[in-house]
């Protein structure tokens, strides 16, 4: 595997872990799948429909989202919205995310000042 493929794979792992949080945060108001793809993309979180729809179904099955069909328009659309349980999970995930960001930031700081190569483990 080349360096670019390796990086792409690692980047995808990072994104996959944060997608649930991003989706829960966006669904405070009802949205249908395609509009959610656009909203996430606009905020710098690109996601493909074939990744998003199974996630939405899984979150709904876990009781974190609810859905409702809107059939009054030109074509039927399924709108998703976060449930009270989903809101609680979202708040907890936000706090965990902030703690993770702070920990990772500290871990990324170098501590080589004043150390020799043998000490810099």
């Amino acid at each position: 595997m080349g360096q670019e493929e390796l990086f792409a794979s690692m980047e995808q792992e990072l994104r996959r872990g944060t997608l649930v949080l991003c989706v829960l945060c966006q669904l405070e108001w009802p949205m249908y799948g395609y509009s959610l793809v656009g909203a996430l993309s606009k905020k710098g979180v690109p996601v493909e429909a074939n990744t998003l729809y199974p996630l939405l179904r899984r979150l709904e099955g876990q009781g974190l989202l609810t859905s409702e069909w809107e059939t009054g328009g030109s074509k039927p659309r399924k709108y998703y919205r976060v449930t009270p349980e989903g809101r609680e999970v979202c708040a907890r995930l936000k706090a965990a995310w902030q703690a993770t960001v702070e920990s990772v930031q500290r871990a990324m700081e170098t501590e080589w000042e004043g150390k020799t190569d043998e000490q810099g483990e």
Side-chain angles (χ1 to χ4, degrees):
M1 179 182 294
Q3 188 176 15
E4 284 304 312
E5 292 88 11
L6 180 61
F7 174 78
S9 174
M10 290 178 170
E11 184 180 33
Q12 184 178 17
E13 286 181 48
L14 283 172
R15 289 177 187 260
R16 187 178 297 132
T18 58
L19 190 55
V20 168
L21 176 59
C22 293
V23 166
L24 291 174
C25 288
Q26 290 300 297
L27 291 175
E28 190 62 36
W29 295 273
M31 295 179 90
Y32 60 97
Y34 186 74
S35 66
L36 182 55
V37 167
L40 289 169
S41 180
K42 199 182 281 190
K43 294 184 179 194
V45 183
V47 61
E48 294 183 20
N50 62 354
T51 300
L52 181 64
Y53 286 106
L55 175 61
L56 291 172
R57 287 191 295 273
R58 180 170 59 90
L59 294 174
E60 185 175 20
Q62 293 170 333
L64 303 179
L65 298 179
T66 187
S67 66
E68 187 175 307
W69 281 98
E70 173 61 52
T71 57
S74 59
K75 62 181 186 176
R77 291 186 171 143
K78 190 173 189 179
Y79 284 79
Y80 294 89
R81 184 175 183 160
V82 70
T83 62
E85 294 84 5
R87 209 171 279 117
E88 183 179 325
V89 167
C90 183
R92 292 181 66 190
L93 284 174
K94 281 181 185 180
W97 172 254
Q98 289 301 326
T100 300
V101 166
E102 291 168 12
S103 298
V104 170
Q105 196 67 40
R106 285 192 302 272
M108 290 188 316
E109 293 172 358
T110 59
E111 296 183 16
W112 287 93
E113 295 176 14
K115 294 183 180 181
T116 66
D117 283 346
E118 294 83 33
Q119 295 171 319
E121 297 175 6

